[in-house]
Amino acid sequence: MTMPRAIGLDDVVAAETSLSDVDGEAGRLILRGHDVEELAGRVPYEAAVALFWDGFVPVGGGVAALRRDMGAGRVAAFGRFAPLERAAAGLSPVEGLRLFLSAIADEDALAVPAALVGAVGVAAAMAVRLSEGRAPLAPDPALSHAADVLRMLSGRTPAPAHVAALDTYLVTILDHGLNASTFTARVVASTAAGLPSAVVAALMALKGPLHGGAPGPVLDMLDAIATAERADAWLAAALARGDRLMGFGHRVYRVRDPRADVLKAAIGRLTDRPGRIAFAEAVEEAALRQLAAHRSGRPLDINVEFYTALLLEALGVPRAGFTPLFAIGRVAGWVAHVREQEAAGRIIRPQSRYVGPMPARAA
Ligand code: ACO
């Protein structure tokens, strides 16, 4: 059945933004006037956030101050979330992250942009460790956000190459137009509900496998395929069953998602498991072949999530932690969109078309 386009708001312009632009025909992502390739892999997360927030969120002392404020936010958040550890231990990482962030009151010291970004890093790492039955680790505010997140996850001082790879990932996924989670953040912000509420709501939109929940299932798919020789047959059978291939397809892109190649290059620089990357490339090529054969109308290409899965796997992140890791980077985007929406000052309130039965006319 072909869905009415209104169901998915295809092509509807619901906001004017100076933050980012997704050109789906050209395969181009612009963040505050910079192509994603100019930033990702070239500047640390804090520098990209400072640039991205400029004009929307006050960043008084520049990158150094932002790094310090995020570190202070991590420390404050660790103390704030500690009483919730027992409740989070029975939850999946993304549910644990939701629990921790829900504890931030509107007037909380954590409810300001830099501290909130720090808090998401801590909450994500805590939630991942608790879900594995391991005790959370306190943050080290002297480290960069990426380095501290990796350390809080593994308990070890991360290799510089791993820190660089996580920085590349966090910058790559910082913002992406009016994706479902960002739109959710803006809807909640438009009601004047406040920053923590908008971020928790956005996280829940991110959770779904059609959005930020896709990379875990990408690895499940690679496990099921198992060897490069099996890829074409496995993928053809999946498409014949009507399954969606995780890590492929996008509402806006009609060509390759530029973020896929940024992340592929970052994985190449890690070079821990060349065999794994070669296998992933073989699956990618087979998927593109099978999708081209399967669909005649709409072109389907790779999206950001395919190589996200490989990169986070290489960094030792368990697959249930992939969506929380996505939130660590994307929260800075949500924050800026919340501020932009609040400045716009009008509630987002579309209409629906009623297609149900009408009341019987009174005699
Ligand atoms: N595998 C197989 N077929 C697909 C895929 C896919 N990954 N994506 C879309 N299609 C097909 C649909 O089945 C549909 O076919 P039909 O017309 O015969 O019904 C056609 O392509 C058009 O698809 P839509 O439903 O219009 O695509 P939509 O824009 O609604 O969905 C989405 C975009 C959700 C990303 C989709 O491509 C998908 O489910 N991909 C897999 C999950 C995924 O990788 N999500 C991460 C996206 S990136 C991000 O959010 C960070």
Side-chain angles (χ1 to χ4, degrees):
M1 187 185 85
T2 308
M3 286 283 178
R5 292 171 73 76
I7 301 273
L9 299 181
D10 304 37
D11 305 325
V12 171
V13 175
E16 289 198 343
T17 183
S18 312
L19 292 167
S20 66
D21 184 49
V22 181
D23 184 336
E25 301 296 331
R28 188 173 190 195
L29 167 60
I30 296 173
L31 302 166
R32 303 297 319 272
H34 299 268
D35 280 306
V36 65
E37 295 88 351
E38 287 175 55
L39 300 176
R42 294 170 191 264
V43 299
Y45 183 61
E46 289 86 342
V49 173
L51 184 150
F52 192 74
W53 280 0
D54 187 32
F56 290 87
V57 179
V59 188
V63 179
L66 189 58
R67 180 174 156 143
R68 189 193 59 226
D69 292 348
M70 283 186 194
R74 292 197 301 275
V75 172
F78 190 71
R80 181 68 47 79
F81 299 152
L84 300 169
E85 283 178 19
R86 274 189 63 176
L91 301 176
S92 72
V94 71
E95 291 164 338
L97 175 57
R98 175 182 62 194
L99 176 79
F100 289 133
L101 297 184
S102 299
I104 301 176
D106 289 344
E107 306 308 325
D108 201 301
L110 291 174
V112 297
L116 192 57
V117 172
V120 173
V122 166
M126 290 176 79
V128 168
R129 284 186 69 94
L130 286 165
S131 74
E132 297 174 323
R134 298 193 293 168
L137 295 171
D140 178 352
L143 295 178
S144 74
H145 200 51
D148 207 15
V149 164
L150 288 174
R151 195 194 55 79
M152 287 187 287
L153 284 169
S154 72
R156 293 184 297 276
T157 303
H162 284 202
V163 177
L166 185 58
D167 264 320
T168 301
Y169 171 66
L170 297 178
V171 174
T172 300
I173 50 114
L174 206 170
D175 199 51
H176 201 240
L178 215 54
N179 60 86
S181 57
T182 301
F183 182 52
T184 302
R186 291 190 74 124
V187 170
V188 176
S190 83
T191 71
L195 188 57
S197 301
V199 165
V200 171
L203 173 69
M204 291 301 89
L206 186 73
K207 172 173 173 281
L210 299 189
H211 186 16
V218 166
L219 291 192
D220 298 340
M221 181 177 83
L222 293 181
D223 287 351
I225 294 172
T227 65
E229 297 67 42
R230 281 167 42 95
D232 277 287
W234 192 97
L235 294 162
L239 289 171
R241 282 194 304 272
D243 292 354
R244 291 190 172 209
L245 306 186
M246 289 292 145
F248 296 86
H250 198 272
R251 172 60 62 80
V252 181
Y253 290 119
R254 292 293 171 268
V255 294
R256 280 181 86 78
D257 181 335
R259 300 170 298 174
D261 289 321
V262 172
L263 296 181
K264 193 173 176 178
I267 299 165
R269 291 193 288 273
L270 282 177
T271 62
D272 289 66
R273 297 171 70 193
R276 182 71 167 159
I277 305 307
F279 169 56
E281 281 174 348
V283 172
E284 178 198 341
E285 285 164 20
L288 296 179
R289 267 194 302 275
Q290 295 304 325
L291 286 167
H294 180 68
R295 305 269 330 145
S296 50
R298 173 167 172 177
L300 293 169
D301 213 317
I302 194 162
N303 67 44
V304 68
E305 301 289 30
F306 189 79
Y307 284 108
T308 288
L310 277 296
L311 185 138
L312 294 181
E313 178 188 58
L315 292 178
V317 179
R319 46 189 90 172
F322 288 179
T323 309
L325 266 283
F326 195 143
I328 291 176
R330 182 55 61 85
V331 63
W334 294 334
V335 165
H337 279 272
V338 166
R339 292 298 186 238
E340 191 179 48
Q341 186 62 45
E342 286 170 343
R346 194 135 195 266
I347 191 166
I348 297 175
R349 204 299 187 192
Q351 296 207 41
S352 51
R353 186 182 307 113
Y354 180 66
V355 295
M358 294 302 286
R361 201 176 279 279

